[in-house]
Amino acid sequence: MINNIPISSNHIQPPEHTSTKLGSPAEAHSQFSAHLKDAVENVNQTNKTSDEMTQDLANGEVDDLHEVMIASEKASITTQTSVEIRNKVVDAYKEIMRMQV
């Protein structure tokens, strides 16, 4: 009892977002692989859309330069972000490999 409040282990509950059951390492690997694949596909699709809009602008099929520029910037930002994430993952991997066990 602390400050007249009874302490009991049955009153302690983990937050709801952490109460989900974690799967096996194989399931975690599969989920991570799926998320990574989706992210790469998203970057690829954004770049393809930008390329198509740029081509359409060059062919005179699109009149709105603003939309083309927005698509181009989205593609640039997603590519830069994915490169930076890759760099951080490689740095983390290198740091783990330098650890002494």
Side-chain angles (χ1 to χ4, degrees):
M1 200 183 265
I2 299 177
N3 295 333
N4 296 326
I5 300 173
I7 303 294
S8 172
S9 63
N10 61 359
H11 293 295
I12 300 173
Q13 295 291 326
E16 287 185 33
H17 65 278
T18 61
S19 64
T20 59
K21 214 174 181 184
L22 297 177
S24 69
E27 290 174 354
H29 175 73
S30 174
Q31 289 176 357
F32 178 76
S33 176
H35 286 297
L36 185 61
K37 182 180 177 186
D38 290 342
V40 170
E41 287 177 0
N42 183 28
V43 171
N44 188 37
Q45 183 60 40
T46 304
N47 285 325
K48 285 173 66 175
T49 301
S50 173
D51 290 345
E52 290 170 359
M53 290 182 78
T54 302
Q55 186 67 36
D56 290 345
L57 180 69
N59 292 336
E61 298 171 7
V62 175
D63 294 331
D64 193 4
L65 177 62
H66 297 313
E67 291 297 321
V68 176
M69 292 304 298
I70 289 170
S72 176
E73 284 301 310
K74 281 183 182 179
S76 175
I77 289 169
T78 56
T79 301
Q80 289 174 356
T81 302
S82 63
V83 168
E84 287 301 318
I85 290 171
R86 179 201 56 118
N87 291 343
K88 291 294 183 181
V89 168
V90 169
D91 289 344
Y93 174 77
K94 288 178 180 176
E95 186 67 28
I96 290 170
M97 296 310 293
R98 281 192 292 255
M99 287 183 181
Q100 294 181 358
V101 181

